[in-house]
Amino acid sequence: MTTARVRVSGPPNSNFLVGYPGISATLPRIEGKVEIRPALGHSAPFHISYVSIGLYRRETVHPHADTKIVNHLAAPRKEWTDLVGKELMLYRCHPGVSHEEILYMDLPFVLFIPFNRPGYDAVRLPPATISLPSRTLETFYELVVSLHQGNQNNSEMKRFAFPVPLCRYDSLSTFGMYNVQEVQEKTTDHLVNLGIKLPRWSYGPGDTVQINIYVSPNPDWSKAKRVSIRNISVVIEEAITFNPEGDEPKTVINKIQRQTLNVQRKLPAEGFQTHCALLFPRKEARDNDGCLPRQKQGFPLYHVSGFTTTAYLYKIEYFLTVKATFSAARDITLRQRIVVCPLDHESCKEEMDAIEQAANDAKYVNPDNPMLPSPVIIRPKDRNALHKLGMTYVGTDRKLLIE
């Protein structure tokens, strides 16, 4: 049985991914066509029963991958695979026939990535592609083409996988919901209150995290007049939770940025205010020679090690922790959740116009019946069938076709 060669190509001069995952107004989807050609002989027909395509998500976690374990057998890497949305049937041979002989196939397709639609039940959006250092955790997407080649005597199922990076755009720091001021206050012994104000709460690599910090005494000044402020520390924490929906979730806290303000003064009656600015860490993508390494297939090149995301096997969250140390009063710690985006603030601004244009284009797309080009299927008995493969007959000899 002649084997087939499979390739997936996107629209002309564009990528597979159309729209912006995480933003439902853009109808995020994967468009392209499956190209099937003879693998051997260049023009030998192959047998086809059916062809289908689906988007699969693969997650792997290894909580101890970034630690050196001596004389100890580490836990194995855990893996989980799931179909995103639905599998799409692209071709099936006629009823009552086990297979058909095909010479050339182009099968257009569009796979809609799940998104929340008004009036429908909320669905869990697929998380973005990510790979942490040492492959502690990974999320990876593949377009998988299932090809059933067979006849009554010999049947074979083959799968062809093509990596597809998937980004999420619902955490851009330019969205209005992230530019609403966040305020939090806390007290431990009713002598002093610690409060913080965040002008916005979504950040990317190299962005400045602005925090307004204020310490106010108890309205009864006689209770707080002996309190002194020693120092105030601000820490950005990365919290990775493995197996978040299981029986024994495990959380690892990484402190990725810290700043300490040495105050050393008595708390005045009117209170104390200060401002702190932290630079969110930016991962250097270039090596020591200033060269960009080859991009890992299926993974975008981010300038952050991690970002806010929730998957099946893990969850990554970020917190801004402010701790005030006092004398004659108990220390106070505030923990405020923040969102980390893979793009910095300037890059987020640049994406806004493109997102608006994608939303306007999506108004003309019907998710229930997208308009697709007709498939191209050439059988050996079709007239000028070899022309599609760039060949023809000259007398009884088969020659390359020259236009």
Side-chain angles (χ1 to χ4, degrees):
M1 180 174 58
T2 305
T3 58
R5 175 169 51 90
V6 177
R7 192 182 76 154
V8 176
S9 61
N13 302 317
S14 62
N15 198 357
F16 294 114
L17 192 61
V18 181
Y20 288 80
I23 304 177
S24 59
T26 63
L27 290 184
R29 58 202 182 274
I30 297 176
E31 293 182 1
K33 64 180 176 181
V34 176
E35 303 174 357
I36 307 176
R37 307 287 187 268
L40 301 173
H42 304 291
S43 60
F46 46 86
H47 298 164
I48 291 291
S49 298
Y50 70 81
V51 182
S52 64
I53 189 170
L55 180 65
Y56 284 82
R57 175 175 110 213
R58 189 170 74 238
E59 294 179 10
T60 63
V61 296
H62 196 330
H64 306 289
D66 57 348
T67 59
K68 293 182 179 179
I69 300 178
V70 182
N71 298 326
H72 179 69
L73 186 62
R77 182 176 294 275
K78 190 174 182 180
E79 186 168 322
W80 180 79
T81 305
D82 186 40
L83 173 66
V84 179
K86 297 179 180 179
E87 195 168 29
L88 187 63
M89 179 67 69
L90 300 180
Y91 174 82
R92 182 187 290 275
C93 63
H94 297 297
V97 179
S98 63
H99 69 279
E100 289 189 35
E101 284 195 346
I102 305 294
L103 202 61
Y104 178 105
M105 293 185 95
D106 275 354
L107 305 174
F109 70 90
V110 56
L111 286 171
F112 286 93
I113 298 171
F115 55 88
N116 291 323
R117 287 197 286 177
Y120 291 81
D121 293 336
V123 298
R124 174 173 286 186
L125 303 181
T129 302
I130 191 174
S131 178
L132 288 194
S134 302
R135 296 185 64 210
T136 307
L137 58 87
E138 282 185 347
T139 292
F140 180 68
Y141 289 89
E142 291 178 319
L143 277 176
V144 178
V145 178
S146 300
L147 191 69
H148 194 157
Q149 296 182 264
N151 52 38
Q152 294 179 352
N153 300 322
N154 186 11
S155 179
E156 185 179 4
M157 164 74 81
K158 288 188 175 181
R159 291 179 179 268
F160 302 85
F162 304 90
V164 177
L166 190 70
C167 303
R168 283 273 294 270
Y169 294 88
D170 49 345
S171 62
L172 298 186
S173 57
T174 44
F175 288 146
M177 59 183 176
Y178 298 117
N179 289 284
V180 178
Q181 182 172 261
E182 287 287 314
V183 180
Q184 189 180 161
E185 284 190 6
K186 188 177 179 181
T187 183
T188 54
D189 52 11
H190 305 290
L191 295 180
V192 291
N193 291 336
L194 174 65
I196 61 171
K197 294 179 181 178
L198 295 179
R200 63 182 174 94
W201 49 286
S202 176
Y203 308 96
D207 287 350
T208 303
V209 182
Q210 306 279 358
I211 314 133
N212 295 317
I213 305 170
Y214 56 93
V215 181
S216 56
N218 188 301
D220 186 355
W221 172 239
S222 62
K223 295 182 178 179
K225 62 183 180 179
R226 297 175 55 192
V227 175
S228 296
I229 307 172
R230 292 180 178 173
N231 56 62
I232 299 174
S233 63
V234 182
V235 182
I236 299 176
E237 295 179 344
E238 178 186 63
I240 304 176
T241 303
F242 297 95
N243 194 27
E245 299 179 1
D247 296 332
E248 297 180 0
K250 174 190 174 184
T251 302
V252 178
I253 304 293
N254 301 316
K255 297 180 179 181
I256 60 176
Q257 190 70 295
R258 172 192 289 271
Q259 184 173 331
T260 301
L261 305 174
N262 192 19
V263 182
Q264 301 295 344
R265 59 175 292 182
K266 288 190 70 68
L267 178 63
E270 65 275 11
F272 172 80
Q273 293 192 22
T274 187
H275 177 79
C276 182
L278 278 80
L279 201 64
F280 195 88
R282 183 183 184 92
K283 185 179 73 173
E284 182 54 59
R286 298 182 182 273
D287 59 18
N288 294 333
D289 297 325
C291 300
L292 283 172
R294 172 178 281 184
Q295 186 172 328
K296 193 175 178 182
Q297 193 177 27
F299 293 93
L301 189 62
Y302 292 130
H303 290 281
V304 284
S305 297
F307 47 84
T308 303
T309 182
T310 301
Y312 180 72
L313 294 180
Y314 64 87
K315 178 172 61 173
I316 305 178
E317 300 173 291
Y318 290 84
F319 297 91
L320 193 64
T321 301
V322 180
K323 181 178 180 180
T325 304
F326 303 98
S327 62
R330 292 181 182 177
D331 299 342
I332 304 176
T333 301
L334 278 178
R335 203 162 185 246
Q336 174 66 44
R337 187 189 305 272
I338 60 174
V339 172
V340 172
C341 174
L343 305 178
D344 59 26
H345 195 60
E346 289 302 317
S347 299
C348 291
K349 289 179 181 178
E350 294 171 1
E351 290 287 351
M352 295 306 289
D353 290 340
I355 291 174
E356 185 178 356
Q357 181 61 46
N360 291 331
D361 295 342
K363 294 177 182 178
Y364 304 100
V365 178
N366 183 359
D368 300 318
N369 185 25
M371 299 295 290
L372 289 175
S374 299
V376 179
I377 302 174
I378 306 296
R379 296 172 175 84
K381 294 182 180 180
D382 293 345
R383 184 180 178 182
N384 296 328
L386 286 177
H387 286 194
K388 277 289 185 179
L389 297 175
M391 305 186 75
T392 189
Y393 275 105
V394 178
T396 58
D397 296 330
R398 194 159 42 184
K399 302 286 187 180
L400 290 175
L401 178 64
I402 301 176
E403 295 289 343

